[in-house]
């Protein structure tokens, strides 16, 4: 099981980027996203996505991040530009355990660095939680996310020309 914990979400400022964190989590093989601040709009957007495009993804907002971290039984990865190189960290992580991946928004408190088993950097330049998460999930799953079947009401067929969409919606 792979869960994502998004911390520091500010409803007005981060709505698009946090939505993208959730969409990338779902598309790239994670099972659930937790968002610290309650945001019913993002919940509805993500639920509407999986109602149409399928999968068993879950979203929960307004969570107590300290409790989630405290109660987590598997490994905890925190994505940060200050962390250890991706290639080094990824080799050390026991893939048989559940994984919680934490991504920030604004400044991340020191407790998160301390709580993480692995502070992992995707390069040491500042960029984006969306990019960091996508690259981490791709490497962690060894690209397996590409073979995941979602069995949605809407399915897109890869095509070099035009849109090919199979819709089972009534
Ligand atoms: N200045 C913030 C700090 O001190 O933590 C980082 C803000 S950054 C816009 C938001 C999030 O993107 C970070 O918390 C981290 O999860 C992710 N991120 C940005 N650059 C990263 C990198 N090079 N490697 C890994 N994660 C990164």
């Amino acid at each position: 099981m792979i869960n994502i914990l998004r911390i520091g979400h500010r409803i007005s400022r981060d709505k698009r980027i946090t939505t993208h964190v959730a969409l990338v989590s779902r598309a790239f093989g994670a099972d659930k996203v937790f968002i610290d601040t309650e945001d019913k709009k993002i919940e509805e957007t993500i639920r509407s996505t999986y109602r149409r495009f399928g999968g068993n993804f879950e979203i929960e907002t307004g969570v107590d991040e300290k409790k989630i971290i405290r109660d987590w039984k598997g490994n905890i990865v925190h994505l940060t530009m200050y962390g250890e190189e991706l290639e080094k960290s990824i080799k050390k992580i026991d893939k048989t355990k559940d994984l919680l991946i934490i991504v920030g928004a604004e400044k991340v408190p020191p407790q998160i660095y301390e709580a993480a088993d692995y502070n992992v950097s995707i390069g040491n330049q500042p960029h984006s939680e969306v990019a960091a998460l996508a690259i981490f999930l791709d490497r962690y799953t060894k690209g397996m996310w590409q073979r995941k079947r979602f069995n949605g009401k809407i399915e897109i067929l890869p095509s070099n020309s035009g849109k090919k969409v199979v819709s089972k919606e009534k």
Side-chain angles (χ1 to χ4, degrees):
M1 183 170 64
I2 304 174
N3 284 188
I4 313 301
L5 173 60
R6 160 58 151 180
I7 58 171
H9 170 64
R10 298 152 293 184
I11 293 180
S12 57
R13 222 181 126 165
D14 298 322
K15 56 179 180 267
R16 256 179 80 76
I17 202 133
T18 302
T19 302
H20 288 186
V21 164
L23 290 172
V24 161
S25 303
R26 174 185 170 274
F28 286 29
D31 303 284
K32 178 166 184 171
V33 66
F34 297 106
I35 298 166
D36 56 354
T37 311
E38 183 177 64
D39 192 328
K40 294 290 174 200
K41 185 103 182 34
I42 289 186
E43 283 187 21
E44 189 37 50
T45 303
I46 300 306
R47 290 197 178 116
S48 148
T49 303
Y50 64 67
R51 273 197 296 270
R52 289 175 297 136
F53 289 90
N56 297 314
F57 193 72
E58 286 179 52
I59 179 163
E60 194 178 336
T61 73
V63 300
D64 177 349
E65 79 260 27
K66 290 196 188 80
K67 184 168 168 19
I68 288 175
I69 291 169
R70 201 174 48 237
D71 294 349
W72 190 256
K73 298 281 185 279
N75 284 315
I76 301 181
V77 160
H78 166 224
L79 294 176
T80 165
M81 65 177 173
Y82 303 103
E84 189 177 50
E85 295 125 283
L86 174 65
E87 305 298 338
K88 271 195 192 162
S89 300
I90 218 134
K91 284 188 199 137
K92 297 186 204 162
I93 304 172
D94 179 354
K95 316 276 185 318
T96 62
K97 289 189 176 172
D98 288 343
L99 180 64
L100 181 69
I101 306 170
I102 305 175
V103 292
E106 47 182 359
K107 196 167 162 40
V108 172
Q111 292 85 330
I112 298 294
Y113 291 80
E114 288 153 20
D117 300 298
Y118 306 94
N119 286 289
V120 181
S121 62
I122 313 294
N124 299 106
Q125 298 298 318
H127 49 79
S128 150
E129 46 276 51
V130 177
L133 187 58
I135 289 185
F136 182 85
L137 285 172
D138 180 54
R139 300 290 170 84
Y140 183 80
T141 65
K142 296 200 172 109
M144 288 293 281
W145 61 272
Q146 292 170 95
R147 289 199 274 284
K148 187 170 171 162
R149 304 295 302 157
F150 288 88
N151 299 316
K153 290 179 190 158
I154 302 174
E155 199 173 335
I156 296 170
L157 306 177
S159 167
N160 186 40
S161 59
K163 296 180 183 173
K164 292 202 170 63
V165 181
V166 179
S167 176
K168 294 170 215 155
E169 278 185 313
K170 285 178 200 135

